[in-house]
Amino acid sequence: MTNKLLAEVFGTFWLVLGGCGSAVLAAGVADVGIGWAGVSLAFGLTVLTMAYAVGQISGGHFNPAVSLGLMVAGRFDGKLLLPYWAAQVIGAVLAALVLYIIVSGGAGFSGVGGFASNGYGEASPQGYSMMSGLVTEVVLTAFFLIIILGATSKGAPAGFAPIAIGLGLTLIHLVSIPVTNTSVNPARSTGVALFADGPALAQLWLFWVAPLIGGALGAILWKVIAGDDAD
């Protein structure tokens, strides 16, 4: 149990440090910045690399919505749900703290700004409404669970699941960064919200509610689609 929880801490830490770190440190650098496409790829690569590194220990969830979806699908013991959530949030907060320390050492530092946090309305990168954010997060998290459950099912090619899952997360970010700055992961949203300027904490509720609904919905849809082959 300890090893599983540590794996979730380390995996979620890497997801937040790599994904949010790329957004905060590298996305907007003039002439050489990686932009939204680079940030999308960074998030995908964090999940891909950690799924291969520690997925065999904990299952490689790194996301409360994924843990909930796997539980609904019958792939995860519900007794472990809250400990996994706690480990994931701890990993995300530690990564955000490390990122804050790095950012605060920059020349002319005067605050972290949005700090790769998620938001809607004025906090949305392109000013999308709360309803747009809610629909985006529910639908994309649901599809993320369908990808995960399908890629890890008995009939899927062995050893390739992390690639499909990482590329799926990349695509999700390509679609939704303009809308909410992409959560689909309550732990990721919580970690940076604790340090961000602006309304991130006040809006954090949506980035727990919507991904959790989406995770459960994706699991239900997968069971309907796959039928007897859902395991």
Side-chain angles (χ1 to χ4, degrees):
M1 180 63 167
T2 300
N3 291 346
K4 290 180 179 180
L5 296 179
L6 283 174
E8 287 296 305
V9 170
F10 275 86
T12 313
F13 179 98
W14 187 238
L15 185 151
V16 173
L17 185 65
C20 295
S22 70
V24 171
L25 300 172
V29 180
D31 299 325
V32 296
I34 62 175
W36 287 350
V39 174
S40 300
L41 182 60
F43 271 101
L45 289 173
T46 63
V47 170
L48 188 156
T49 51
M50 276 293 117
Y52 276 123
V54 301
Q56 71 277 14
I57 300 172
S58 68
H61 300 187
F62 319 139
N63 181 338
V66 170
S67 297
L68 178 64
L70 292 174
M71 185 192 76
V72 172
R75 302 262 197 99
F76 181 61
D77 187 350
K79 292 183 293 186
L80 300 179
L81 184 64
L82 291 181
Y84 264 55
W85 283 8
Q88 292 154 359
V89 170
I90 288 169
V93 172
L94 289 175
L97 174 60
V98 169
L99 184 58
Y100 178 85
I101 293 170
I102 294 170
V103 170
S104 64
F109 173 75
S110 60
V112 296
F115 204 53
S117 60
N118 303 114
Y120 53 84
E122 292 184 0
S124 161
Q126 294 292 296
Y128 284 89
S129 69
M130 183 182 71
M131 182 57 67
S132 293
L134 178 67
V135 171
T136 298
E137 292 290 330
V138 169
V139 171
L140 292 182
T141 310
F143 272 87
F144 191 38
L145 262 294
I146 292 170
I147 293 167
I148 292 169
L149 290 165
T152 57
S153 63
K154 290 183 293 187
F160 290 96
I163 297 174
I165 295 166
L167 290 176
L169 189 59
T170 299
L171 177 58
I172 286 168
H173 279 77
L174 288 171
V175 172
S176 59
I177 285 178
V179 183
T180 61
N181 216 22
T182 310
S183 173
V184 301
N185 184 336
R188 166 261 190 272
S189 297
T190 301
V192 292
L194 295 176
F195 296 88
D197 300 329
L201 271 177
Q203 296 186 359
L204 182 60
W205 67 270
L206 186 139
F207 302 103
W208 274 88
V209 171
L212 291 178
I213 292 172
L217 178 62
I220 293 168
L221 290 173
W222 168 250
K223 293 176 77 171
V224 172
I225 295 166
D228 293 339
D229 298 321
D231 293 335

